[in-house]
Amino acid sequence: KKKLKISGRELASVPEQVFGLDQLQVLEMSPERESCLRYRMELLPPEISRLRNLTCLYVDSNNLKKIPAEIGTLSHLERLTLSNNNLSSLPPEMGALQRLHSLHLANNSLTELPAPLCRLRSLTFLDVSDNKIGTIPSSIRHLEKLETLLLLFNSLESLPEDVCLLRNLHTLWLGNNHLRSLPAGFGELVNLDWGYNYCSCNFEGNPLESPPPEVCSRGPEEIRDYFLSFHRA
């Protein structure tokens, strides 16, 4: 069996029999989103390393406090969802997941963007919304293939200039942070799908002053012109 979904309001651990399914590719241990349920699993056991063929692992809406270092041995993993847990950190071994292209970390207790993420060169979708992230390391520039970055409802006061090197970004949500300014090179993110209401580049809920919100809403060219005018002055 290559796909397995385990469900139940009282789910508190991974059944031991699962680790014998060495051909398993998709393992889902999350309640349906519409159900508003939360499972009780606090630990993803080290034995997860036996499932070497996993490509998708869904463990949203549990009570996870820690991810084992052994997660780094799942070399085929492409999608990992850990939203709605109680994670305060991630193991550095996650940097070994070089096939991972989608990582969901929304609504945990992270306080910074973990360094291991910046080594995931295949990552195209990263959601760390609704944590307490206050800083983004400059090494984020290594996420060359990143297309979607969701950082809503955090505590960001600034963005590193290196964010402007993520030229493949199509969607960047920064809403409800503490941003007063954008980096000078922000207008170089020309692949952002701005649209008429810049819904894919969301700044709402920030006390932006430089550039002001009305300039941001007009797209990358206006932002470039805004910063160029400062240099001329």
Side-chain angles (χ1 to χ4, degrees), residues 21-219:
L21 303 175
D22 56 4
Q23 296 303 309
L24 196 63
Q25 293 179 346
V26 178
L27 177 57
E28 185 172 351
M29 296 179 288
S30 302
E32 299 294 335
R33 291 189 179 189
E34 297 78 10
S35 70
C36 299
L37 283 178
R38 200 178 186 108
Y39 292 166
R40 298 190 298 118
M41 186 160 45
E42 295 187 2
L43 176 67
L44 195 62
E47 288 81 6
I48 196 73
S49 63
R50 297 182 193 172
L51 304 179
R52 294 295 178 91
N53 288 298
L54 272 188
T55 59
C56 300
L57 178 58
Y58 302 93
V59 210
D60 295 300
S61 299
N62 275 274
N63 196 27
L64 293 176
K65 295 179 172 63
K66 186 178 180 181
I67 301 298
E70 287 78 5
I71 194 79
T73 65
L74 301 179
S75 58
H76 294 282
L77 204 61
E78 298 175 0
R79 186 177 179 88
L80 176 60
T81 68
L82 297 166
S83 296
N84 302 315
N85 281 286
N86 289 307
L87 298 171
S88 58
S89 64
L90 297 174
E93 288 78 7
M94 277 188 63
L97 301 176
Q98 290 304 305
R99 295 192 186 185
L100 196 68
H101 60 71
S102 182
L103 177 59
H104 297 222
L105 292 166
N107 195 23
N108 276 282
S109 300
L110 300 172
T111 56
E112 61 182 357
L113 195 60
L117 304 190
C118 299
R119 299 199 293 271
L120 301 176
R121 299 297 179 88
S122 295
L123 207 62
T124 60
F125 185 101
L126 176 57
D127 181 4
V128 286
S129 301
D130 203 6
N131 283 280
K132 297 297 179 185
I133 290 174
T135 58
I136 300 175
S138 61
S139 52
I140 195 172
R141 66 182 181 274
H142 297 309
L143 300 180
E144 303 157 354
K145 298 182 180 179
L146 198 62
E147 296 178 0
T148 301
L149 177 58
L150 307 185
L151 292 163
L152 298 88
F153 293 98
N154 279 292
S155 301
L156 293 172
E157 295 185 356
S158 64
L159 294 176
E161 190 72 36
D162 299 82
V163 167
C164 306
L165 298 176
L166 302 177
R167 301 296 170 80
N168 287 312
L169 274 183
H170 292 281
T171 302
L172 175 60
W173 287 2
L174 298 166
N176 294 90
N177 278 279
H178 307 307
L179 297 173
R180 292 190 175 276
S181 64
L182 299 178
F186 198 87
E188 301 303 318
L189 297 176
V190 294
N191 286 318
L192 285 176
D193 182 15
W194 293 79
Y196 290 105
N197 59 357
Y198 59 100
C199 61
S200 64
C201 190
N202 180 290
F203 302 106
E204 291 180 3
N206 285 285
L208 271 177
E209 298 172 356
S210 176
E214 60 269 20
V215 172
C216 293
S217 66
R218 297 177 196 143

